[in-house]
């Protein structure tokens, strides 16, 4: 009997406009190597992951040097140069490109290139929580702050109850065929879970970690450095 394998799929075709830097945020240096390289090495260090696929823009000028510098991790790594205009399209193109390699019931863990704080322990926690799950799920954190909805001028109009609210992280882990179908059928989602939810299914929320945050603004790099050094 075929036992499902686990594949990592990293969409890395974004430009990271809010980072206001010269290059996309996944290629900024963090602790001596590019952000994306941390992510690739984490998946390589996780015995569970059979292979890692990275989706980049067709004209990406940085990825070849990164692969060359990845040492043994490069052996279980394939670059797909078919990034799309949105994250959803980059992931969908990646899924289509691995159609021959992945079976319908294999798991795909989609992870943002700009979340270098992922650890093998988090990957394993997610996979173990979803081993027999019929839907799949994602790392996420319960919202702890009081939430405000603003009106123009940056003034608080109402307080949004935070009960039952989670902040989605990645990896988001679903079976290959279900995820490909869900992403093909929707247009306006910002993560894989959103596409699965639109099918009427309920992905499982598995507690992630604050260190697995997404680099978005310039000062986020300094925070990521602290996490890497184990100070936070
Ligand atoms: O821009 P944002 O932070 O939401 O991007 C999340 C992830 O999706 C990043 O890893 C980024 O490189 C990727 N992405 C992509 N293709 C796009 C836009 C974003 O692969 N067109």
């Amino acid at each position: 009997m075929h036992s499902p394998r686990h594949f990592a799929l990293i969409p890395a075709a974004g430009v990271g406009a809010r980072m206001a830097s010269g290059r996309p945020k996944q290629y900024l240096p963090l602790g001596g190597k590019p952000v994306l390289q941390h992510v690739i090495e984490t998946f390589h260090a996780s015995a569970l992951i059979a292979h890692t696929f990275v989706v980049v823009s067709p004209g990406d000028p940085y990825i070849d040097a990164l692969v060359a510098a990845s040492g043994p991790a490069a052996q279980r790594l394939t670059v797909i140069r078919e990034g799309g205009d949105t994250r959803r399209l980059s992931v969908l193109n990646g899924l289509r490109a691995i159609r021959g390699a992945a079976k319908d019931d294999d798991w795909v863990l989609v992870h943002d290139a700009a979340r270098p704080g992922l650890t093998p322990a988090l990957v394993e926690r997610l996979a173990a929580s979803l081993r027999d799950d019929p839907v799949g799920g994602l790392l996420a954190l319960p919202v702890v702050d009081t939430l405000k909805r603003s009106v123009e001028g940056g003034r608080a109009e109402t307080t949004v109850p935070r009960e039952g609210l989670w902040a989605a992280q990645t990896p988001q882990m679903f079976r290959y065929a279900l995820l490909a179908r869900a992403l093909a059928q929707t247009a306006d989602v910002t993560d894989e879970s959103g596409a699965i939810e639109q099918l009427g299914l309920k992905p499982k929320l598995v507690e992630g970690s604050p260190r697995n945050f997404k680099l978005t603004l310039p000062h986020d790099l300094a925070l990521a450095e602290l996490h890497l050094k184990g100070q936070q």
Side-chain angles (χ1 to χ4, degrees):
M1 214 191 83
H2 160 76
S3 61
R5 292 163 300 169
H6 295 76
F7 295 112
L9 178 67
I10 307 169
V15 293
R18 282 174 292 180
M19 207 74 192
S21 60
R23 59 176 69 194
K25 56 189 173 180
Q26 60 272 25
Y27 293 118
L28 292 175
L30 169 65
K33 54 191 164 196
V35 165
L36 175 58
Q37 198 165 331
H38 289 273
V39 175
I40 288 169
E41 288 177 5
T42 294
F43 283 121
H44 184 252
S46 172
L48 198 74
I49 301 297
H51 202 85
T52 297
F53 299 91
V54 183
V55 184
V56 299
S57 303
D60 186 310
Y62 306 107
I63 190 69
D64 290 337
L66 190 150
V67 172
S70 291
Q75 289 158 16
R76 277 161 47 210
L77 177 67
T78 300
V79 176
I80 299 166
R81 296 169 201 270
E82 294 178 56
D85 287 346
T86 64
R87 183 182 187 286
R88 179 186 74 89
L89 288 173
S90 294
V91 173
L92 193 53
N93 289 351
L95 290 174
R96 287 177 174 154
I98 69 172
R99 190 176 281 147
K103 292 199 164 45
D104 282 359
D105 64 344
D106 283 335
W107 291 105
V108 181
L109 286 80
V110 181
H111 184 66
D112 292 333
R115 291 186 189 269
L118 184 69
T119 60
L122 283 168
V123 172
E124 271 137 42
R125 182 193 298 174
L126 178 68
S129 305
L130 298 176
R131 198 193 327 266
D132 301 314
D133 199 276
V135 178
L138 62 150
L139 292 182
L141 281 180
V143 170
V144 292
D145 294 319
T146 297
L147 298 175
K148 304 293 180 189
R149 186 180 305 285
S150 66
V151 283
E152 74 277 11
R155 306 194 74 89
E157 185 182 51
T158 50
T159 297
V160 182
R162 67 176 172 227
E163 203 192 340
L165 289 184
W166 294 66
Q169 298 190 332
T170 66
Q172 304 207 352
M173 174 173 150
F174 297 98
R175 304 270 184 185
Y176 175 83
L178 176 67
L179 183 57
R181 179 161 64 89
L183 287 172
Q185 281 179 11
T186 184
D188 59 347
V189 289
T190 51
D191 68 353
E192 292 63 50
S193 181
I196 301 287
E197 292 153 29
Q198 287 188 7
L199 296 180
L201 299 170
K202 295 184 171 53
K204 185 171 179 180
L205 296 159
V206 178
E207 185 151 348
S209 164
R211 63 168 284 146
N212 186 31
F213 74 99
K214 184 170 71 174
L215 297 177
T216 305
L217 302 171
H219 71 259
D220 288 345
L221 266 179
L223 182 58
E225 295 258 6
L226 288 180
H227 280 297
L228 271 189
K229 289 183 191 142
Q231 292 172 1
Q232 285 256 14

